[in-house]
């Protein structure tokens, strides 16, 4: 899984019919990489999210063929400090 922050929405007026309901978001990972992720959850800019990529992301949609390479699978509500008192973030 990849931890990222939503930086904005991507609007697509046309898309293939097999795409499930959801939207596209631009996200920035902790390494500074930016990518477009499919969002079935309704996340907002500034929100911390968890992303999966590749065949795992595409396989999530078992009822249809979806051309998805990056999928938001969770929204991070809070981080719990580890035993050293630091957050789980590197």
């Amino acid at each position: 899984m990849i931890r990222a922050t939503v930086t904005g929405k991507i609007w697509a007026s046309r898309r293939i019919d097999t795409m499930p309901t959801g939207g596209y978001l631009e996200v920035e990972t902790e390494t500074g990489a930016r990518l477009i992720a499919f969002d079935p959850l309704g996340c907002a800019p500034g929100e911390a999210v968890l992303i999966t990529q590749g065949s795992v992301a595409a396989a999530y949609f078992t009822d249809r063929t979806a051309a998805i390479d990056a999928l938001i699978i969770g929204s991070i509500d809070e981080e719990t400090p580890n035993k050293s008192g630091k957050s789980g973030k590197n």
Side-chain angles (χ1 to χ4, degrees), residues 14-21 24 64-67:
R14 295 185 293 172
R15 55 195 225 182
I16 60 174
D17 293 337
T18 58
M19 289 297 291
T21 302
Y24 302 104
R64 63 180 81 193
T65 302

Side-chain angles (χ1 to χ4, degrees), residues 38-77:
F38 185 75
D39 175 29
L41 305 177
C43 296
E47 195 167 342
V49 294
L50 293 173
I51 295 173
T52 189
Q53 286 188 288
S55 60
V56 173
Y60 174 77
F61 301 99
T62 58
D63 61 332
R64 63 180 81 193
T65 302
I68 293 174
D69 183 54
L71 174 69
I72 295 175
I73 58 171
S75 174
I76 300 172
D77 295 324

